[in-house]
Amino acid sequence: MATIQARGLTKRFGGEVLAVDHLDFDAVPGGVTGFLGPNGAGKTTTLRMLLGLVTPTSGSVLIDGHRYRDLPNPTMRVGAVLEASGFHPARTARNHLKLTATVAGLPFRRVDECLDLVGLSEAADRSVGGFSMGMRQRLELARAMLGKPDVLVLDEPANGLDPQGIAWLRDFLRVYASEGASDRGGKRIVIVSSHLLSEAQLIVDDVIVLTGGRLAAQGRLQDLLAGSKRSVRVQTPDAERLVQALRAASLPAVVRDGYVVCDGATPQAVGPIMVENRIEVHEMVSSTESLESLFFALTGGEGMQVGHGVASTGDYRRFDDGPAASPSVGPIGGQA
């Protein structure tokens, strides 16, 4: 099975900007790993070091124990989509992939197979210049998969996709990660960098959270959320009486924004107290901690977007890419 390990990974730009600071992490095969962090956290710089596009100042990030540039047949091992750009507007989608297949020494049959995988078969002979942003994202994903890679690295893959496209991407990545890796056995690694925490929670199995170029947390998402905070919120005209009753039962309760809020409690604990005290209830909601609240607790939530849409990345690219970064990144192992 494929492995990715970073140890002591550090990158300075110009001797002053510390983009990545002694970063250690492991990406696990068989699931989708979410690479999360606020703007300037070092996510893109780390991915570029993984793909050999940026040279670490110190430390290493290795794929199966090798630097990307030392991998045999790298296009068969790693596919990457860092930008939906670099298209010739007059070239058709099919010819665009054929050119990449020719350079990589891959059979042309993979072109139509990958166009079908991403739902672009009917647009195969259309000029890329007329494609929407979402269609370009799909085409880049098709190009990244030409070599049936063991490792798939995607930076903001949901950009430009409508809700239906995002749902398709979610299902596709989960299946791709869990399938056997071509004829080489084992399972695949899929790394997804994203600002959309609500969407990431539906896609990822594991998370790597960065802040300030350092590792803030890593592990299975379900494990990180296992100790999540529970809370019960009740709307009632008898708020003060309910607070007194809950406190008498050793449950911490306060009135907040017109609701009685009892942190750490469950409906099973609060409900019988309301019945016993004949308290009128208009609404009762139970909640647990989400990836959003976990992220905010780890990093303060700076620069992250919690809903759907596209986050502004102007400041993030200026800091995160740094002066040594390539202005255009090809989708298969970073080759245009």
Side-chain angles (χ1 to χ4, degrees):
M1 290 190 288
T3 62
I4 294 179
Q5 289 186 330
R7 295 293 181 268
L9 189 64
T10 302
K11 181 61 184 178
R12 288 185 179 272
F13 290 115
E16 298 180 357
V17 177
L18 182 60
V20 179
D21 186 9
H22 293 88
L23 181 61
D24 294 346
F25 71 84
D26 296 89
V28 182
V32 179
T33 297
F35 216 60
L36 309 176
N39 293 344
K43 302 187 305 299
T44 295
T45 298
T46 300
L47 296 183
R48 288 176 180 272
M49 286 191 283
L50 171 66
L51 299 170
L53 298 169
V54 171
T55 301
T57 302
S58 61
S60 63
V61 55
L62 304 177
I63 303 168
D64 293 341
H66 302 280
R67 296 180 301 171
Y68 172 81
R69 65 190 65 182
D70 298 327
L71 285 173
N73 300 318
T75 57
M76 302 287 289
R77 305 307 304 276
V78 184
V81 178
L82 300 191
E83 297 178 32
S85 60
F87 300 103
H88 190 294
R91 188 172 292 141
T92 66
R94 178 178 281 116
N95 286 338
H96 181 70
L97 295 190
K98 280 186 175 181
L99 177 61
T100 302
T102 299
V103 173
L106 299 170
F108 280 174
R109 69 174 182 273
R110 283 295 295 161
V111 169
D112 287 327
E113 288 174 359
C114 289
L115 286 171
D116 185 58
L117 279 173
V118 301
L120 287 180
S121 293
E122 294 184 1
D125 295 315
R126 287 176 50 187
S127 297
V128 177
F131 277 17
S132 67
M133 178 65 172
M135 293 174 72
R136 289 177 181 237
Q137 286 286 87
R138 288 175 182 252
L139 183 58
E140 283 288 69
L141 182 58
R143 189 163 68 161
M145 295 188 304
L146 282 173
K148 296 183 179 179
D150 302 323
V151 178
L152 194 59
V153 180
L154 309 175
D155 193 10
E156 303 287 353
N159 276 0
L161 297 182
D162 57 20
Q164 183 179 4
I166 292 175
W168 167 83
L169 178 68
R170 178 195 313 150
D171 295 340
F172 175 83
L173 293 182
R174 283 192 172 279
V175 171
Y176 192 83
S178 62
E179 284 181 343
S182 186
D183 330 345
R184 296 180 288 275
K187 295 184 178 181
R188 298 183 173 104
I189 294 176
V190 175
I191 296 178
V192 175
S193 172
S194 178
H195 283 71
L196 303 178
L197 293 179
S198 57
E199 184 57 40
Q201 185 163 359
L202 298 175
I203 295 177
V204 304
D205 303 292
D206 303 273
V207 293
I208 297 171
V209 182
L210 302 185
T211 181
R214 288 181 170 271
L215 182 69
Q218 175 181 350
R220 299 287 294 180
L221 178 60
Q222 62 184 18
D223 293 339
L224 292 175
L225 296 179
S228 61
K229 299 175 183 176
R230 301 188 64 91
S231 179
V232 174
R233 187 177 63 176
V234 179
Q235 187 179 55
T236 171
D238 298 323
E240 291 301 329
R241 198 156 60 88
L242 177 57
V243 167
Q244 292 176 6
L246 291 171
R247 289 177 177 176
S250 299
L251 293 176
V254 295
V255 177
R256 187 185 306 151
D257 298 327
Y259 288 85
V260 174
V261 179
C262 191
D263 291 329
T266 64
Q268 290 79 7
V270 173
I273 294 173
M274 293 189 297
V275 172
E276 180 182 349
N277 289 272
R278 297 178 178 240
I279 292 174
E280 180 182 349
V281 178
H282 294 172
E283 179 185 8
M284 182 169 70
V285 178
S286 175
S287 65
T288 57
E289 189 173 54
S290 65
L291 176 58
E292 294 170 8
S293 54
L294 173 64
F295 182 89
F296 291 165
L298 292 170
T299 69
E302 180 185 355
M304 296 300 293
Q305 184 164 329
V306 298
H308 292 288
V310 179
S312 172
T313 57
D315 292 339
Y316 138 85
R317 295 201 180 276
R318 191 163 58 247
F319 178 88
D320 210 6
D321 288 350
S326 169
S328 177
V329 181
I332 297 189
Q335 297 179 358

